[in-house]
Amino acid sequence: MPWQTEVSPFILLDYHPPFEYAPSDVPRGVGAHPHKGFETVTLLFSGEVQHRDSAGNQGDLNAGEVQWMTAGAGVLHEEKHGAAFSKQGGILHLIQLWVNLPAKFKNTPPSYQTLTEKEMPVIELPSNSGTVKLIAGKYADYSGPAKTFTPVVLAEVKLRAGAIVTFPLEEGYTALVLVISGQLMEGLDSGYMGRFSQTGKDLHLEAVTDAQVIILGGEPIQEPMVAYGPFVMNSRQEILQAYTDLQSGKFGVL
Ligand code: MN
């Protein structure tokens, strides 16, 4: 099985560990750049992030919130530190995840979701063993607010030391666990990601210390994938076409 299928629908995970920025009059971040064929999902743990794109969407992300941008047919966006955060300085801590789109949705119009703390259910785990904050997919009778194109489960789980927890996932789903802080079993320390078998069903987690982890699950997209620069398509030909489209202005203006 190619590695893409073993982690699909996830493509890439960019981890920005906690880092303290000095005050600045000019917001840091990434200026206008394109994406096509997938979604960027940003989980902000600390700091502020400002988003603007060529589809006319913008959003200010605060700590605890999630941004779910569907690049789809093609978009230009910029990702900057928030204005107030830049002026004051402080700790930025986030992850950005790339989630693939299947061929039939690669040309869906660009869209944008800001998921606030109020929208994401926080569920108490049995025996006082921690909490599940649900971003996408299902846990027990709860659903995360993110609208996805294929089945995706994304949750932030806080576990108390000694907790043994079962997180249900569908048979055949990709199952990844990123440790943000603390330690899970089998030497899964903070900053590490564990990949569990796709043939099992439930995800068993045992916390050695208090731990904060991100669960990434989902139905693998069984299609060829060609990722190049900011584009993720099904063939090399489609990547070349994306560059032609970008140069001819089809991604709009920012
Ligand atoms: Mn980007």
Side-chain angles (χ1 to χ4, degrees):
M1 195 185 282
W3 68 268
Q4 289 102 329
T5 310
E6 292 179 342
V7 298
S8 178
F10 308 106
I11 303 162
L12 172 152
L13 190 145
D14 207 349
Y15 183 51
H16 185 303
F19 181 84
E20 179 151 12
Y21 289 91
S24 166
D25 288 333
V26 183
R28 297 175 176 88
V30 191
H33 60 281
H35 290 299
K36 179 178 168 74
F38 67 100
E39 303 182 285
T40 63
V41 178
T42 306
L43 279 63
L44 186 63
F45 301 110
S46 175
E48 279 175 28
V49 170
Q50 226 164 45
H51 164 95
R52 226 157 53 87
D53 68 43
S54 56
N57 294 307
Q58 57 181 65
D60 296 324
L61 207 62
N62 297 303
E65 296 180 335
V66 175
Q67 176 192 95
W68 200 293
M69 186 192 78
T70 306
V75 76
L76 299 173
H77 78 157
E78 61 173 37
E79 302 163 273
K80 300 268 175 139
H81 296 190
F85 173 80
S86 295
K87 277 212 170 69
Q88 289 164 14
I91 293 172
L92 187 74
H93 183 197
L94 61 83
I95 63 176
Q96 188 174 83
L97 187 61
W98 288 16
V99 180
N100 203 2
L101 289 169
K104 65 176 174 182
F105 292 124
K106 282 203 183 289
N107 283 313
T108 195
S111 60
Y112 180 84
Q113 309 168 61
T114 296
L115 311 174
T116 62
E117 295 247 57
K118 266 189 195 159
E119 293 169 291
M120 294 179 277
V122 177
I123 306 130
E124 293 284 336
L125 288 163
S127 317
N128 202 29
S129 48
T131 56
V132 172
K133 176 171 155 184
L134 201 54
I135 301 163
K138 287 192 190 326
Y139 176 84
D141 294 334
Y142 296 88
S143 293
K147 292 182 196 79
T148 67
F149 288 84
T150 59
V152 175
V153 178
L154 190 59
E156 180 185 339
V157 178
K158 289 180 178 168
L159 297 170
R160 296 205 172 83
I164 300 177
V165 165
T166 297
F167 192 97
L169 286 175
E170 298 287 326
E171 178 89 46
Y173 272 26
T174 291
L176 306 167
V177 177
L178 173 71
V179 184
I180 301 292
S181 67
Q183 188 192 24
L184 290 192
M185 69 290 199
E186 291 168 22
L188 255 185
D189 294 308
S190 73
Y192 282 80
M193 174 178 268
R195 182 171 66 79
F196 292 73
S197 163
Q198 285 172 327
T199 54
K201 236 174 121 104
D202 296 334
L203 202 53
H204 296 281
L205 305 175
E206 294 183 32
V208 176
T209 65
D210 284 359
Q212 179 187 9
V213 308
I214 306 296
I215 291 179
L216 304 96
E219 187 180 280
I221 297 169
Q222 307 279 2
E223 294 175 359
M225 182 183 99
V226 181
Y228 191 82
F231 306 135
V232 182
M233 302 302 293
N234 296 104
S235 69
R236 188 181 135 80
Q237 183 53 40
E238 288 172 344
I239 295 285
L240 296 174
Q241 186 62 47
Y243 278 99
T244 305
D245 291 348
L246 174 65
Q247 280 153 13
S248 63
K250 286 192 182 157
F251 284 49
V253 193
L254 182 62

